[in-house]
Amino acid sequence: MASAVAVQDLSTTVAAPPEKYILKDGIGGVDFPMLEVPVIDLSLLTSSSDESEREVEKLKLAFSSCGYIQVVNIGIEESFLDAVHVATKQFFSLPTEEKMKCARPKDHLDGYGNDTVFSENHTLDWNDRLYLIVKPETQRKLNVWPQNPTHFRKVMLELTSKLEKTNEILLRAMARSLNLQDESCFVKQLGENPIVLSRFNMYPPCPRPEQVLAAKPHGDASGMTYLLQDKRVEGLQVLKDGQWYKIPIIPNALVVNVGDQLEIMSNGLFKSPIHRVVTNRDKERMTIAVFFSPDATSEVGPAQGLVDDDDDDERPKLFNSVVDYTGNYFKYFQDGKRPIDFLRI
Ligand SMILES: O=C(O)CCC(=O)C(=O)O
Ligand SMILES: [Fe+2]
């Protein structure tokens, strides 16, 4: 059930956030160090030069430590990325009754709304979002897809189709970085009908940034996550060695992180990072996240080449295989649990 009031409207009408948004112990500080997130040049990943080898190695180190990279030279025009940001802003700038035409129906994930409330006890996130299943096409709920602005759908479809190519390049490079014979092994685990979800996030200004989170700590249920950050306003943080770090803004770079299902496929070598979003007292922040996940009918498990079948236990299988990981994710999430932990052997 979505809370009836959009956070965007709350943010302009109340002096203090309602109780259900307030974290009793606060967010754990007011200033956080910046993480040096490795920057990967996508154009270098597809060749076999020495430079390419170094880039692939960098990718492996990043995904096996902080779980994040920033990707540049992504082969997507800056003017197109600007169009994505503009369409997102146009949507969230519409009057509430217009946005409510895309409202998420009760007990659905798709559509416009705010935090899904599974229990009265948990603290709410300070954001509104538009969450849309893009693929498989049979799952699209077109009745909650914006018709306003008119080019919104076209822009979103173009973005996800461009990112599909990026995702394939990265997944191959990730397999290569682990010396897997079959470079397409992660791509293959996505199955015939991978799930593509897009999530447009609006984080309005919040009068109590030290007490309210824009998105609570979580690991993504996806295989891989691609994020177009707001170009001006920071907010994303990642947990590393027990400390929260800010993810820096590099305009037009893609922020990419490993999701839980790639952690499983890589038998724990790649880490699905715990991240969260903090609020800002004066500025709103908007981001666009695209998630690629395996087909809901595919079995997802540690790749063959990463597990020893004999008994010397050098590389034991660390995760049980799973079908439809995404499907059961949210109930665990709202209870502060990670479904991946239930698959550990
Ligand atoms: O907006 C952000 O910076 C991160 C969003 C995010 O983590 C998500 O949508 O899963
Ligand atoms: Fe996330």
Side-chain angles (χ1 to χ4, degrees), residues 50-64:
D50 287 351
E51 222 182 352
S52 174
E53 291 301 328
R54 281 196 294 275
E55 210 66 3
V56 168
E57 188 58 26
K58 212 159 96 186
L59 180 74
K60 175 179 155 185
L61 284 177
F63 280 157
S64 45

Side-chain angles (χ1 to χ4, degrees), residues 87-98:
T88 308
K89 189 167 174 71
Q90 283 172 331
F91 174 77
F92 284 112
S93 305
L94 293 170
T96 302
E97 58 282 11
E98 185 64 26

Side-chain angles (χ1 to χ4, degrees), residues 61-121:
L61 284 177
F63 280 157
S64 45
S65 54
C66 73
Y68 268 100
I69 57 172
Q70 302 240 28
V71 185
V72 295
N73 264 330
I74 55 176
I76 302 180
E77 298 269 336
E78 286 185 11
S79 57
F80 176 73
L81 296 176
D82 287 341
V84 177
H85 287 289
V86 168
T88 308
K89 189 167 174 71
Q90 283 172 331
F91 174 77
F92 284 112
S93 305
L94 293 170
T96 302
E97 58 282 11
E98 185 64 26
K99 282 182 292 215
M100 287 307 281
K101 289 181 183 165
C102 305
R104 168 160 55 85
K106 190 174 179 309
D107 298 330
H108 283 241
L109 281 180
D110 284 59
Y112 166 71
N114 41 32
D115 224 354
T116 309
V117 180
F118 286 112
S119 110
E120 287 308 313
N121 302 331

